[in-house]
Amino acid sequence: MEPELFIPARALSKFVYCPRLFHLEQAQGYWRDSEETRLGSHVHRVVDRPGSGLPPLQAIRAEGWRTRSVRLSSAELGVVAVCDVVEGVGDRTCPVEYRRGGPAPGGGPWPSERAQVLLQILLLVRHGYRCDHGCIWYDRVRRRVEVPWTWEAEREVLEALSEARAVAERAEPPPPLKHSNRCPGCALLGVCMPDEINELAGRDPEPPRRLLARDPDRFPCYVTEPGSTVGVRNGRIVVARGRERQLSMRLRDVLHLVLAGPVQLSSQAVHALAEQGSPVVWTSTGGWLKAVAVPVAGKHVELRRRQYTTSPAQGVDFARAIVLGKIRNCRTLLRRNGSLAASDRARLDDAIKRASRAEAVSTLLGVEGSAAAAYFQALPGAFRSDNRLPAPLFEQTGRTRRPPLDPVSCLLSYLYALLVKDLTVACYALGLDPYFGLYHRPRYGRPALVLDLAEEFRPLIADSTALTLINNRQADGGMFEVHPTAVALTRGGRRTVITAYERRLATEAVHPVFGYKLTYRRTLEVQARMFAAYLLDEIPRYTPCTTR
């Protein structure tokens, strides 16, 4: 019987290097390009060009031969491999694997690279070629290291293959390595979060290292001008309106592309963005999410299964955590801006006590509603008295939505929409269903899970950005269109809010659990990954992001 899962030789190398990395790539479908992979591709630029293929056994030339990029497979073993180079003299063949770095201490091959070459040899032997060794070419030292083929080596690679297949077929990934030196250079470090997961799971008493980058090395690209066109030329995203070029930036610098309103996108740009894993987000001119195109989204079937089959107790635990996180962050924001009166603090403190004892989602909804009423009643006290906002005033209308009836509510609605956009992209990238929440009730068109994850970040990111715009007197009458039945942002106003929002996402804060600084942009991703780890039972509870 043929195996259902074919394992590439390079994946076996990943398994020997780190079983968790192997599971993340093979079972969950994660892949991240990195500087290491780009440099490795540069080393492979010659051997990746296909050669003439292996010569038939009966036509092997005695004087020697050499061919590139040879694909081999075995249905019986359930494996596939691409040999960088296969060469031979007489009836002997030898696979040669190209590597960017150098050999292991002592001059021998690294175990993970040795496993890959051994599997290539095994496939050559199973296809009838005589092979007593393979080689690894290390580009840094410019020499080959030999990998001998023996019966012990054959048993070793078959055992590794069997173990790898068992790991790939498991729903849960293996635990992360503990404070390993292999982690800092891993392309999936931000996905795996080894030190963080180990600490939350109680497996490692040492504090997590400062491994995660504070911020991605790419940034969102917003196109908000109606009638603009977006294309790609010479590795750059180009935004134009008519014959006027409005923006040109490197394609590799685009984290995701946001198209607000009537903006055209070329199919070439879609393909180029998909190839590097950058989502495309379509919104209305007012910021409401219309569609998201995420490359190869949703491969992690087990994560979605866990999301859909969460126990009621687990759902209440998560809901309690996010409500407590939101109320505490609301209290902190009011205290920092000098608008937390004793009565308001008492109401929020009481809400925190009641939420911590709540045993049902319905109870938490009531607690959150009363806390939100107290918070928005106190929020106008955080505005400077000489702000430049036009009438009507937030103090008179209170928090209004769909449509907002005052400039503050208008700012908050637009900022909440931007936050929903970023968390929706994070959910799709992880394989989560953004429309199936544990706290907010799922219903048609409502991204319930995104709203769940957004709760703790509303005061931290959106409300804080609105306060900054108001108290720095950047928000003025020119940003708003005031109508008798609604208040909306002007085109220039939306650009100002987006700039302030992105500046807030780039702000660093100490993570309450891990004790090191992260930007809020990275923290959004970390919290979404912590939720995924909670669903997969990798960590016992979800801890919200709160500040003091």
Side-chain angles (χ1 to χ4, degrees):
M1 181 176 178
E2 294 184 4
E4 293 184 3
L5 174 67
F6 268 66
I7 296 179
R10 188 172 292 273
L12 183 65
S13 173
K14 299 287 182 65
F15 171 77
V16 175
Y17 184 80
C18 173
R20 183 177 175 86
L21 172 62
F22 167 81
H23 191 279
L24 289 172
E25 289 191 354
Q26 290 301 116
Q28 301 183 28
Y30 288 111
W31 168 256
R32 290 282 179 87
D33 197 10
S34 67
E35 191 63 25
E36 293 293 320
T37 59
R38 287 191 286 268
L39 291 172
S41 298
H42 180 73
V43 172
H44 281 80
R45 66 192 185 282
V46 176
V47 296
D48 280 348
R49 293 182 298 184
S52 57
L54 286 176
L57 291 172
Q58 64 274 16
I60 289 180
R61 303 185 301 276
E63 67 274 13
W65 51 272
R66 189 174 190 270
T67 187
R68 299 182 305 268
S69 196
V70 177
R71 182 181 178 86
L72 301 169
S73 63
S74 169
E76 178 187 358
L77 296 174
V79 294
V80 62
V82 177
C83 304
D84 291 339
V85 169
V86 178
E87 56 189 25
V89 177
D91 62 348
R92 302 281 180 175
T93 59
C94 172
V96 183
E97 178 69 17
Y98 278 60
R99 290 287 176 167
R100 185 182 68 84
W110 294 97
S112 58
E113 297 163 354
R114 179 174 181 274
Q116 182 174 350
V117 173
L118 289 178
L119 185 54
Q120 293 174 1
I121 296 173
L122 177 62
L123 286 171
L124 284 168
V125 171
R126 291 295 178 96
H127 280 77
Y129 294 88
R130 296 188 63 184
C131 187
D132 55 19
H133 75 279
C135 290
I136 303 175
W137 164 264
Y138 287 106
D139 188 68
R140 192 172 68 196
V141 296
R142 310 296 294 176
R143 66 179 177 87
R144 292 185 178 187
V145 173
E146 189 172 299
V147 179
W149 178 250
T150 62
W151 70 269
E152 292 94 344
E154 181 176 3
R155 184 181 63 183
E156 174 188 335
V157 72
L158 288 174
E159 288 178 355
L161 194 58
S162 176
E163 293 170 2
R165 192 176 304 282
V167 167
E169 291 173 352
R170 278 168 35 192
E172 300 83 7
L177 303 176
K178 293 182 181 179
H179 270 69
S180 172
N181 292 331
R182 304 175 192 176
C183 297
C186 179
L188 293 186
L189 174 64
V191 176
C192 177
M193 297 171 56
D195 290 9
E196 292 79 5
I197 295 296
N198 279 331
E199 183 189 30
L200 292 173
R203 284 190 292 264
D204 193 347
E206 295 187 49
R209 295 166 290 177
R210 165 68 267 178
L211 296 179
L212 291 179
R214 287 178 171 85
D215 207 29
D217 55 2
R218 299 184 293 170
F219 302 93
C221 175
Y222 292 84
V223 184
T224 61
E225 193 73 20
S228 298
T229 59
V230 182
V232 60
R233 295 187 188 91
N234 300 321
R236 301 184 71 85
I237 284 288
V238 178
V239 182
R241 190 164 184 252
R243 295 186 177 182
E244 178 187 356
R245 177 175 291 191
Q246 298 176 314
L247 173 72
S248 176
M249 66 183 294
R250 291 191 309 175
L251 181 66
R252 60 183 292 184
D253 291 336
V254 178
L255 181 64
H256 58 260
L257 179 66
V258 184
L259 308 178
V263 177
Q264 295 185 18
L265 177 66
S266 72
S267 59
Q268 293 90 338
V270 172
H271 281 276
L273 290 164
E275 188 174 346
Q276 69 175 22
S278 297
V280 180
V281 181
W282 286 267
T283 72
S284 67
T285 53
W288 297 108
L289 201 63
K290 293 292 187 181
V292 180
V294 181
V296 293
K299 282 190 173 182
H300 199 345
V301 177
E302 177 61 21
L303 179 59
R304 290 201 302 281
R305 189 188 71 80
R306 296 289 185 96
Q307 182 184 357
Y308 298 142
T309 58
T310 304
S311 68
Q314 196 174 18
V316 171
D317 286 345
F318 172 68
R320 187 187 302 115
I322 62 174
V323 170
L324 284 169
K326 177 183 180 179
I327 299 174
R328 285 172 177 150
N329 287 333
C330 287
R331 183 180 62 181
T332 299
L333 184 141
L334 293 176
R335 187 184 71 245
R336 284 182 175 178
N337 289 275
S339 60
L340 187 60
S343 58
D344 297 325
R345 183 183 182 103
R347 292 174 66 184
L348 292 175
D349 288 345
D350 179 65
I352 290 173
K353 291 177 183 177
R354 288 189 290 139
S356 63
R357 297 192 300 264
E359 297 294 335
V361 169
S362 58
T363 304
L364 287 166
L365 287 168
V367 171
E368 186 206 353
S370 62
Y375 169 70
F376 284 116
Q377 182 178 335
L379 186 61
F383 306 154
R384 60 186 292 176
S385 57
D386 61 341
N387 66 72
R388 303 170 64 188
L389 293 175
L393 300 178
F394 184 75
E395 293 93 327
Q396 300 167 344
T397 65
R399 169 87 166 101
T400 55
R401 302 180 297 166
R402 301 192 183 99
L405 301 178
D406 63 89
V408 176
S409 294
C410 177
L411 281 176
L412 293 177
S413 292
Y414 193 75
L415 287 163
Y416 292 158
L418 292 174
L419 183 60
V420 164
K421 176 264 297 181
D422 281 317
L423 285 169
T424 300
V425 170
C427 287
Y428 276 126
L430 286 170
L432 292 163
D433 184 345
Y435 290 89
F436 191 89
L438 305 188
Y439 176 55
H440 290 83
R441 181 177 298 175
R443 68 177 184 224
Y444 180 81
R446 181 197 227 183
L449 177 60
V450 172
L451 297 178
D452 289 354
L453 295 172
E455 291 294 357
E456 66 205 68
F457 291 108
R458 290 178 186 268
L460 287 179
I461 296 176
D463 299 0
S464 179
T465 302
L467 277 176
T468 298
L469 287 167
I470 294 168
N471 291 339
N472 287 349
R473 305 187 74 194
Q474 293 175 270
D476 57 20
M479 284 180 55
F480 301 96
E481 295 177 350
V482 180
H483 304 282
T485 57
V487 176
L489 286 166
T490 63
R491 190 179 304 170
R494 290 193 293 271
R495 286 197 293 266
T496 299
V497 175
I498 289 172
T499 300
Y501 172 79
E502 289 296 326
R503 190 182 301 118
R504 181 61 178 171
L505 288 184
T507 302
E508 291 185 347
V510 176
H511 195 280
V513 177
F514 308 131
Y516 53 69
K517 287 186 175 181
L518 288 173
T519 62
Y520 281 118
R521 184 188 304 284
R522 180 66 80 188
T523 304
L524 290 175
E525 178 188 347
V526 167
Q527 293 301 119
R529 293 196 182 283
M530 285 175 60
F531 173 69
Y534 174 65
L535 290 180
L536 293 171
D537 294 326
E538 287 194 277
I539 58 177
R541 65 186 61 84
Y542 175 84
T543 304
C545 178
T546 56
T547 58
R548 292 183 292 177

